[in-house]
Amino acid sequence: MGLLALGTALEWPDAKKRAGQVREWGIKQLLQIWNKAKGKERDAMLWGDEIEYLVVTYAKDEPKVLLSLRQAEILDALASDHELAKNGGCTAAQQNHELKQTQAKPIPVFHPEFGRFMLEATPGRPWGIGFKELLDVEPDMKLRRKIAKEHMLSTEYPITLTTFPRLGSPGQFTDPYYPPSGPRLRSQFVPDEIANPHIRFPTLAANIRSRRGRKVQVNVPVFHDKNTPRPWKDPTVNFDLHNWPEDDDERNGAAPDDFIHMDAMAFGMGSCCLQITFQAKNITEGRELYDQLSPLGPIMLALTAATPIYKGFLANTDVRWNQISRAVDCRTPEELGEKPLKDDRWRIPKSRYASNSTYISNDPRLRREYLDPDLVIDPEIKQQLLDGGMDDLLATHFAHLFIRDPIVIFEEDLQELDLNKTDHFENIQSTNWQHMRFKPPPADNNIGWRVEFRSMEIQVTDFENAAFSVFMVLVTRAILSFDLNFYVPIKKVDENMERAHGLDAVLKEKFYFRKNPFPIRPSRANTTLGDESRPGSAMHSRAASPGPVEDEYEEMSINEIINGSPDGEFPGLIPIVESYLDSVNVDVETRCELATYLELISKRASGELDTTSRWIRNFVAAHPSYKQDSVVDEKVTHDLIEAVIAIGERESAGRNFAGLGIPGLPKLLGKFRGGCGEEVERDVNGDGQSGNRK
Ligand code: ADP
Ligand code: MG
Ligand code: MG
Ligand code: MG
Ligand code: MG
Ligand code: MG
């Protein structure tokens, strides 16, 4: 999250009065950028990833693992490290043997996040188009982790789990300890000090709660194990609290049976994800990428599933998405449809954090039937955009985002409209957390139109994070090169997003997916997609007048989507990527390294390897102190985090995880290669015995 300028943040009733002004100025700023940048051409094909970390305090002999709340101090230490700045990261880079770079690369950038126990890191500059550069991603991610660790206490570690298993559990889970129930969050379970103290963040949480008229309600179905009572009542909920008016929420039914009940923004925005931003060569290409990547959002969410535990209990879902959605759901009872519309303008079917609701490309293959017939837009805003010269589809997109109120407004920003800034536009844009984000150039126009892919869950190792990032880059290149068509009705993408939540959805669910991704219009690709002997070469376009939309898609497993259908009808994303790699010049070593990434993804999709969530579930189930009652206690949490730290430390020395003796690790990470040519057998039995170089 980018930080807005400091100032006087308005509390909700006052902010609400100024919402219209922010929207009006935001639209003026948007039109300014649009007019300035709509003709921008030939921007480079750049991209960048974002890695989010939890910072934990861990010591082998300390029974409790805690969340460290020293985000600000760690960021200060990073910012004031002159050696780091002076050397442009070079010192650290040279120490890192895997960072095969000839020129100094700018040091990674570290960002604050909502949780005061979180950290975000991006590369020092975006990645370029070269294939070789794809191999710099993993070493750079490792470098980021290393630099982060070097600016922490010896007992602090940056780890990449999506959520802290015992966030919000009774007793101490933060370092230092604060008792729950502060004036901003009014949570039963977490203290206000859990949030980044920068005024933007507590105001965001408090104003979402005020706008809603009650606390957020983040309920996740509990996983019913052998000894889990039925019905299950969340034992941590206190129905007798009387600190705040919001304590009535639980008495009014906010905490139903069989759900893990959470009540604050931190339970959602305190989770870590993996995001990728692509720069397109111009706005047309950006709009195309936005649409084509959109149906992949739920697929990649299910494939990266990593979130099986909340508040000390096993959940019956595998991913973080809906919990974040609910944690920032600012809709009023009228907007939710619980009361007749009186003060609010419309009913709104989704939270401001949700799967996207629009397609925006000028692609003639975008059929009207794919669009959401129930899309809520602000017609006046749409008209202003149309009057400003914007076309219908894009005006509709922004008129949809602008149905939302701005949540955090600084008094000082409302004095004068500055058309050389984008702050009011960004205020609305950056609090519409959809699974894709269409990012216009900043006011100074020095970079291009960008598209962000936001659904993936963070993985434990940088090997995995690099694999998923690089995979998405290759898919994106294949989309552009082969002019692929993944359109399905946007409502089906919504449905897929729900399905992606299911336990082991990667293996058990089917997802609506387009049967034939190959273009009907003439391809822009300068290569054809292979001869008949290639895998998945049922790829030739079948030009025809469009039939019923329902005939264009079918339900497929993730394995079919990623690896291809057994009958060869659907080619599979990996065979498509392979065809793309065949069509361009990639040297043998690079191709071999990329194959390692593709292999991980292929095996995760087929079930040969486990998702992170499945690995964690198995880890918990096999732990001696687990009682088959869905409870993830402090001992299990300690040992899980200990394992994650051990994996991280081992990874910093290379890609050999053998001998760690961590249960289930070989089935999570597979047989890695230490580098192309030298294959390393991962600790297959988890017994520390195997793992010799072959
Ligand atoms: P946000 O949190 O708003 O998504 P960040 O600055 O945290 O933004 O991350 C943006 C990502 O986009 C980073 O990985 C960065 O390297 C990358 N990036 C920056 N500039 C460009 C660009 N011109 N094209 C593509 N990616 C870019
Ligand atoms: Mg972030
Ligand atoms: Mg960011
Ligand atoms: Mg951000
Ligand atoms: Mg981002
Ligand atoms: Mg087919």
Side-chain angles (χ1 to χ4, degrees), residues 92-337:
Q94 281 157 358
Q95 287 164 359
N96 187 322
H97 298 304
E98 290 202 25
L99 197 75
K100 302 167 194 148
Q101 280 177 320
T102 47
Q103 69 204 65
K105 191 175 184 320
I107 45 168
V109 186
F110 291 90
H111 313 253
E113 260 297 339
F114 177 85
R116 199 165 152 192
F117 50 84
M118 295 170 82
L119 211 56
E120 180 184 296
T122 55
R125 66 159 176 258
W127 305 106
I129 191 162
F131 287 97
K132 270 218 163 311
E133 228 174 307
L134 294 175
L135 307 189
D136 294 336
V137 175
E138 185 182 338
D140 188 79
M141 287 176 175
K142 286 189 194 170
L143 176 64
R144 282 179 242 168
R145 201 183 285 263
K146 178 169 178 286
I147 293 175
K149 173 73 184 125
E150 283 167 359
H151 294 80
M152 293 177 183
L153 303 176
S154 62
T155 50
E156 286 172 327
Y157 296 84
I159 63 166
T160 40
L161 286 179
T162 53
T163 53
F164 184 70
R166 289 184 60 82
L167 173 68
S169 299
Q172 183 177 4
F173 54 88
T174 60
D175 178 18
Y177 172 77
Y178 294 97
S181 220
R184 294 313 195 120
L185 301 183
R186 306 199 181 175
S187 169
Q188 286 204 352
F189 309 108
V190 293
D192 279 4
E193 286 83 358
I194 200 84
N196 183 327
H198 183 293
I199 187 67
R200 172 181 151 79
F201 297 96
T203 307
L204 195 55
N207 285 1
I208 284 173
R209 177 178 47 68
S210 302
R211 189 182 191 287
R212 223 180 116 77
R214 53 195 155 168
K215 288 185 290 185
V216 291
Q217 190 176 328
V218 187
N219 289 342
V220 193
V222 74
F223 168 73
H224 276 279
D225 208 342
K226 220 173 64 199
N227 300 327
T228 312
R230 234 181 238 278
W232 182 82
K233 293 178 189 300
D234 184 336
T236 64
V237 178
N238 185 343
F239 291 95
D240 299 317
L241 273 183
H242 294 275
N243 294 334
W244 309 104
E246 287 78 2
D247 290 325
D248 284 340
D249 291 357
E250 279 75 12
R251 286 183 284 276
N252 292 335
D257 287 355
D258 294 317
F259 285 88
I260 306 163
H261 172 60
M262 296 169 280
D263 64 351
M265 186 164 164
F267 287 106
M269 282 294 178
S271 19
C272 298
C273 68
L274 172 64
Q275 296 174 336
I276 318 282
T277 296
F278 301 97
Q279 177 166 282
K281 70 170 188 254
N282 55 30
I283 186 171
T284 307
E285 188 182 272
R287 293 170 68 164
E288 182 180 345
L289 279 181
Y290 180 90
D291 283 13
Q292 293 307 329
L293 290 173
S294 185
L296 303 182
I299 311 304
M300 297 311 293
L301 176 62
L303 194 53
T304 54
T307 317
I309 306 171
Y310 278 99
K311 221 181 65 173
F313 303 105
L314 285 170
N316 206 34
T317 55
D318 258 1
V319 299
R320 75 198 191 287
W321 190 265
N322 278 346
Q323 284 70 258
I324 312 183
S325 176
R326 295 185 183 122
V328 291
D329 190 351
C330 65
R331 287 174 298 169
T332 65
E334 291 180 27
E335 288 168 341
L336 285 163

Side-chain angles (χ1 to χ4, degrees), residues 44-51 105 111 120-129 133-134 137 140-141 144 273-280 293 439 447 450-454 456 465-466 468-470 472-473 476-477:
M45 175 84 198
L46 303 175
W47 70 280
D49 63 273
E50 296 166 67
I51 303 271
K105 191 175 184 320
H111 313 253
E120 180 184 296
T122 55
R125 66 159 176 258
W127 305 106
I129 191 162
E133 228 174 307
L134 294 175
V137 175
D140 188 79
M141 287 176 175
R144 282 179 242 168
C273 68
L274 172 64
Q275 296 174 336
I276 318 282
T277 296
F278 301 97
Q279 177 166 282
L293 290 173
K439 295 175 167 176
I447 62 173
R450 287 148 303 143
V451 167
E452 185 181 22
F453 188 78
R454 304 164 46 82
M456 290 193 286
N465 290 316
F468 281 106
S469 304
V470 166
M472 286 313 300
V473 172
T476 303
R477 304 262 169 93

Side-chain angles (χ1 to χ4, degrees), residues 14 18 24 42 48 102 225 274 291 298 310 329 354 456 466 476 489 497 518-519 540 548 565 585 589 632 648 683:
D14 297 323
R18 314 300 291 274
E24 191 189 320
R42 285 189 294 280
T102 47
D225 208 342
L274 172 64
D291 283 13
Y310 278 99
D329 190 351
M456 290 193 286
T476 303
M497 212 66 166
F518 292 99
H540 297 285
S565 58
N585 243 337
E589 193 206 337
V632 180
D683 187 6

